[in-house]
Amino acid sequence: MADGNRKNTDDIREQLQRVTVWLTKEMPEYWENQLRIAQKRWTEAREDLLRCQSITRQGDESSHLVQRKALERANARRALCEQRVKMLPVLGSRWEQFMRETSLSI
């Protein structure tokens, strides 16, 4: 019975360690990379819109509707990525607090 409890405890510790790596290393890397991609796409969408506006006649706003929508989507994605990158340190500190509290009871 004691061996079974020890194995369960070891399994739990292993799972908690996996979550720690995921939360403190993998997620920040993922969202920082996604933010770089989103910033690049935002820049490209903005340049496309500016290029389209410079080519079309003044007053012909409907001709760059596609570019405006692309810029809106790129802006929304960039904002989401920025939010996630800012949120991760808070999640990390909450996780560390949880781990400290949990380690006392395991």
Side-chain angles (χ1 to χ4, degrees), residues 45 49 53 61 64-73:
L49 176 60
Q53 287 173 335
E61 294 294 317
H64 25 268
L65 182 62
V66 171
Q67 288 80 7
R68 284 186 192 276
K69 291 292 183 182
L71 182 58
E72 287 175 18
R73 285 190 307 274

Side-chain angles (χ1 to χ4, degrees), residues 10-23:
D10 289 345
D11 288 345
I12 290 169
R13 282 193 178 117
E14 185 178 316
Q15 290 298 322
L16 291 172
Q17 186 60 34
R18 285 183 190 155
V19 172
T20 300
V21 169
W22 174 73
L23 187 59

Side-chain angles (χ1 to χ4, degrees), residues 14-102:
E14 185 178 316
Q15 290 298 322
L16 291 172
Q17 186 60 34
R18 285 183 190 155
V19 172
T20 300
V21 169
W22 174 73
L23 187 59
T24 60
K25 183 171 176 12
E26 294 171 5
M27 270 187 52
E29 289 174 1
Y30 173 80
W31 283 109
E32 288 168 7
N33 187 47
Q34 290 299 305
L35 179 57
R36 279 191 293 279
I37 292 168
Q39 288 170 329
K40 181 181 176 191
R41 288 184 180 159
W42 179 85
T43 301
E44 291 169 355
R46 184 171 174 264
E47 289 172 356
D48 288 347
L49 176 60
L50 291 173
R51 191 176 312 108
C52 181
Q53 287 173 335
S54 70
I55 294 172
T56 58
R57 295 188 319 256
Q58 194 172 19
D60 191 10
E61 294 294 317
S62 64
S63 63
H64 25 268
L65 182 62
V66 171
Q67 288 80 7
R68 284 186 192 276
K69 291 292 183 182
L71 182 58
E72 287 175 18
R73 285 190 307 274
N75 197 38
R77 177 65 180 175
R78 186 179 70 166
L80 173 72
C81 293
E82 288 171 346
Q83 176 191 32
R84 298 289 162 87
V85 167
K86 288 178 185 176
M87 182 178 64
L88 286 171
V90 173
L91 290 176
S93 66
R94 287 182 182 172
W95 181 253
E96 288 175 13
Q97 180 182 355
F98 170 77
M99 288 298 290
R100 282 191 301 273
E101 292 169 0
T102 304

